[in-house]
Amino acid sequence: MADESTQSIVIEAPPEEIMAVIADFAAYPEWTNAVKQTEVLSSDADGRAAQVRFILDAGVVKDEYVLAYDWADDGLAVSWTLVKGQMQKAQQGSYRLEPVPEGTKVTYTLAVSLAIPMIGMFKRKAEKMIMDTALKELKRRVEATR
C-alpha cells in the first residue's frame, strides 16, 4: 500500500453527532462536492453500512468504487478498504474521533493506490487536497446541523 496521508480538524460537536454524519452515506451528495451518488450495498448486524458504492466526479477525476467499512464499537472510529474500483487499485482510510475541550478532533488518514501511474509528489498533493476538502465539508455539514 502507498504512503498514508493524515490531517486533522476540530469540529464543534460531540463525537456521536460527527459519526452520525459520516455514517449517513445517502446524504453525501448533498454536502460533498465530488460525490454524485452513493448506495449502501450491505449492512452489518448493527445496521451500519458494511459496503458502499460511490460515484465520484471531481472534474478531471471520475471514478466508481466500492468500500468496505469497519466501525469501532466505541463509536470513535471507522475505517475502510477498497473492494473494487475503476481508477483505484487500493484504498485504505479512517476517521478517528477524539473529544477535546473545543469539541471533537477528527483525524482523517488516507492511502490510495491508483490504477494509472502518478508521480508521488502529485499523488500526495492530491491526497492532501482530498482530505482537506473532506474535513472542511464534514465540519461545515456537522456544524450547520447543530
Side-chain angles (χ1 to χ4, degrees), residues 55-73:
I55 295 178
L56 186 78
D57 185 348
V60 292
V61 177
K62 294 176 183 6
D63 198 9
E64 183 174 336
Y65 55 94
V66 175
L67 299 177
Y69 286 86
D70 183 23
W71 303 87
D73 290 336

Side-chain angles (χ1 to χ4, degrees), residues 82-99:
L82 182 73
V83 175
K84 65 179 178 177
Q86 294 174 352
M87 288 190 61
Q88 302 174 65
K89 289 193 297 187
Q91 181 185 143
Q92 290 181 312
S94 67
Y95 281 114
R96 303 218 178 278
L97 282 55
E98 175 188 350

Side-chain angles (χ1 to χ4, degrees), residues 6-10 96 98 105-108 131-132 135:
T6 300
Q7 274 187 255
S8 297
I9 197 168
V10 173
R96 303 218 178 278
E98 175 188 350
K105 179 180 175 184
V106 179
T107 302
Y108 183 11
M131 293 170 57
D132 185 57
L135 286 170

Side-chain angles (χ1 to χ4, degrees), residues 4-102:
E4 287 184 342
S5 296
T6 300
Q7 274 187 255
S8 297
I9 197 168
V10 173
I11 298 177
E12 294 178 23
E16 57 274 9
E17 287 182 23
I18 297 167
M19 196 57 78
V21 170
I22 292 169
D24 185 6
F25 294 103
Y28 276 38
E30 297 172 15
W31 60 273
T32 56
N33 289 328
V35 177
K36 300 305 175 195
Q37 187 178 340
T38 59
E39 178 185 4
V40 175
L41 302 175
S42 64
S43 299
D44 65 15
D46 295 320
R48 298 173 295 200
Q51 287 197 2
V52 181
R53 181 177 64 89
F54 292 84
I55 295 178
L56 186 78
D57 185 348
V60 292
V61 177
K62 294 176 183 6
D63 198 9
E64 183 174 336
Y65 55 94
V66 175
L67 299 177
Y69 286 86
D70 183 23
W71 303 87
D73 290 336
D74 64 6
L76 296 176
V78 60
S79 60
W80 60 87
T81 57
L82 182 73
V83 175
K84 65 179 178 177
Q86 294 174 352
M87 288 190 61
Q88 302 174 65
K89 289 193 297 187
Q91 181 185 143
Q92 290 181 312
S94 67
Y95 281 114
R96 303 218 178 278
L97 282 55
E98 175 188 350
V100 294
E102 306 84 8

